[in-house]
Amino acid sequence: MSSQPDCTPYPWVEKLIRIDTTSVLSNLGLIEMVRAYFNAHGVESVLTYDREQKKANLFATVPAASGATTGGIVLSGHTDVVPVTNQAWDSDPFVPTLRDGKLYGRGACDMKGFIGVALGLLPCMLKARLKAPIHFALSYDEEIGCAGAPSMIRELVERGIAPQGCIVGEPTNMGIVVAHKGINAYRCCVRGHAAHSSLQPQGVNAIEYAARLITFISDIARQSASEGPFDHDFNVPFTTAQTGTIKGGIAINTIPENCEFQFEFRNLPGIDPSDIYARIRAHAERVLLPEMQARVSSSDISFSTISTAPALDAGEKEALVGLISALRQDSTVSQVSYATEAGLFQQVGIPTIVCGPGSIEQAHKANEFVTLEQLASCESFLRKLIASQCD
């Protein structure tokens, strides 16, 4: 079976895959390349940086024929990708490789395929007599909790861009996703008191108290699964919760002084995640902590937020869904359990849907790929979208 890099009709997809933008690294190489491309076509870009100036979002506007830069449609995508560490790839994950109609590479479907196809159509957008602008919104650190996009969205609100709609190009096999769950991830640190295990009453076992809190989180999940509320348009129709990592203790014969674990819950649209978080904190502070401090006053339970991304609600986007359905000639819509940046746009009043090439089943795996058929479908859709925005 032959491998053929650099042989697709989507050179921008290939260029993007070639730049390693794993979340622990800077994305500035990619951002500067895209900004230079926009500049060469007379399109200005606005960058918003992280605190260390090592990563940036990019927001660029292709103006309407009238020169207007407000309103219009946003094409949104994240530039970061997940690691390839300890994954068994059949080819270099950062060398785009074509095999049997599939383009392999890290980020091929999640989500450099969508971004690359959209960038390739910039000349088409500039030639069209747009009645409303088309915006590009490229973010950083989506894969570690949608950490980058909020500053870009705040900036576009402050500038009064007021888009009429947003398409987030996460992989949906080009189907229309109108709702998804929110994700909320937290870290909990339990500090007890160390002692020799033979003197158990003198210590406060941090692991055991962490386990009791983890059990409480699991009880919340079981209650949600049995009692709801439910939304059966989701494949998992209730809010979920789980603990993902835990570490603590130094030896079998030492009562552990410290234990840290990370937990998350994924809430249905309409469920306030702060209520769930408040229940967990209240159990820690009102039930567990008094027991611990009655034995050793320095005991403590603390929480910190790792990341949050709001749910995407299905409502208030009829016009956008109608437009996209008409262009695709398919009115089928769906709801998914994974989270995207779409909820962040919706939070500031921008109607948003998720629609992009590739399958979420390929995302984050070794040998991630997107089919050329899906890229072609994306290109056809975006060309129709551009035409729909013309006089």
Side-chain angles (χ1 to χ4, degrees):
M1 186 180 298
S2 63
S3 296
Q4 300 172 328
D6 298 321
C7 56
T8 78
Y10 303 101
W12 265 104
V13 179
E14 297 181 26
K15 289 179 183 179
L16 298 177
I17 291 173
R18 287 183 180 278
I19 301 178
D20 183 353
T21 51
T22 304
S23 298
V24 295
L25 304 175
S26 170
N27 75 333
L28 292 183
L30 184 152
I31 290 296
E32 292 296 346
M33 179 179 69
V34 173
R35 179 162 70 167
Y37 174 60
F38 280 126
N39 286 344
H41 286 82
V43 176
E44 294 185 2
S45 304
V46 176
L47 305 189
T48 51
Y49 292 88
D50 68 346
R51 292 181 180 179
E52 290 77 28
Q53 302 283 301
K54 293 181 178 179
K55 299 179 181 181
N57 304 303
L58 179 149
F59 191 86
T61 298
V62 180
S66 65
T69 57
T70 60
I73 299 291
V74 177
L75 304 178
S76 171
H78 64 81
T79 61
D80 61 317
V81 297
V82 297
V84 298
T85 308
N86 298 324
Q87 290 187 336
W89 284 71
D90 294 332
S91 55
D92 188 327
F94 298 106
V95 175
T97 304
L98 185 64
R99 297 194 299 270
D100 301 325
K102 300 174 182 177
L103 181 62
Y104 291 85
R106 174 56 85 223
C109 78
D110 186 19
M111 55 181 297
K112 292 179 176 179
F114 175 81
I115 297 173
V117 172
L119 289 172
L121 292 175
L122 177 62
C124 177
M125 298 176 191
L126 291 168
K127 291 178 183 178
R129 290 192 56 81
L130 297 174
K131 61 186 178 183
I134 296 177
H135 311 277
F136 289 79
L138 308 185
S139 67
Y140 67 87
D141 282 0
E142 188 272 351
E143 295 290 7
I144 55 175
C146 299
S151 62
M152 174 174 59
I153 294 172
R154 284 194 300 269
E155 187 272 339
L156 74 88
V157 170
E158 292 168 359
R159 291 169 57 206
I161 299 298
Q164 299 303 300
C166 176
I167 300 169
V168 176
E170 292 277 7
T172 66
N173 284 316
M174 292 307 299
I176 303 174
V177 169
V178 296
H180 63 61
K181 293 182 179 181
I183 183 171
N184 311 268
Y186 301 93
R187 179 180 296 104
C188 179
C189 298
V190 180
R191 186 175 75 245
H193 186 74
H196 193 280
S197 60
S198 65
L199 303 174
Q200 187 267 342
Q202 297 181 14
V204 177
N205 192 311
I207 290 179
E208 291 180 359
Y209 278 98
R212 288 174 61 181
L213 186 54
I214 290 169
T215 299
F216 181 79
I217 294 169
S218 181
D219 289 341
I220 290 176
R222 282 192 292 271
Q223 181 182 26
S224 176
S226 62
E227 301 177 12
F230 300 101
D231 183 340
H232 291 284
D233 287 329
F234 286 95
N235 60 347
V236 179
F238 46 83
T239 296
T240 60
Q242 65 100 29
T243 299
T245 68
I246 185 169
K247 60 181 179 180
I250 60 171
I252 187 64
N253 61 351
T254 303
I255 294 173
E257 183 174 17
N258 294 293
C259 184
E260 175 185 306
F261 65 94
Q262 297 180 357
F263 64 97
E264 65 158 27
F265 51 89
R266 295 177 180 250
N267 60 290
L268 292 173
I271 301 297
D272 188 347
S274 64
D275 290 343
I276 302 172
Y277 186 41
R279 285 181 62 189
I280 296 169
R281 290 190 63 118
H283 185 75
E285 294 165 1
R286 298 174 187 173
V287 177
L288 302 180
L289 195 55
E291 287 185 23
M292 298 168 65
Q293 292 181 339
R295 297 175 67 176
V296 177
S297 60
S298 62
S299 299
D300 188 37
I301 301 176
S302 62
F303 296 85
S304 60
T305 301
I306 298 173
S307 62
T308 62
L312 176 67
D313 195 284
E316 300 181 0
K317 60 186 72 174
E318 289 83 359
L320 179 63
V321 173
L323 169 64
I324 305 307
S325 297
L327 297 178
R328 295 182 63 255
Q329 297 182 322
D330 184 354
S331 60
T332 305
V333 299
S334 63
Q335 302 182 177
V336 296
S337 295
Y338 58 82
T340 76
E341 293 171 333
L344 294 167
F345 287 95
Q346 188 179 63
Q347 267 191 339
V348 297
I350 303 172
T352 305
I353 59 99
V354 184
C355 180
S359 169
I360 194 66
E361 293 181 2
Q362 303 304 324
H364 299 190
K365 294 181 179 179
N367 297 320
E368 177 183 347
F369 70 84
V370 63
T371 66
L372 295 187
E373 181 181 16
Q374 279 286 297
L375 294 177
S377 178
C378 179
E379 179 184 6
S380 174
F381 164 69
L382 290 179
R383 286 186 180 277
K384 292 176 182 178
L385 177 68
I386 295 167
S388 74
Q389 299 301 297
C390 293
D391 290 327

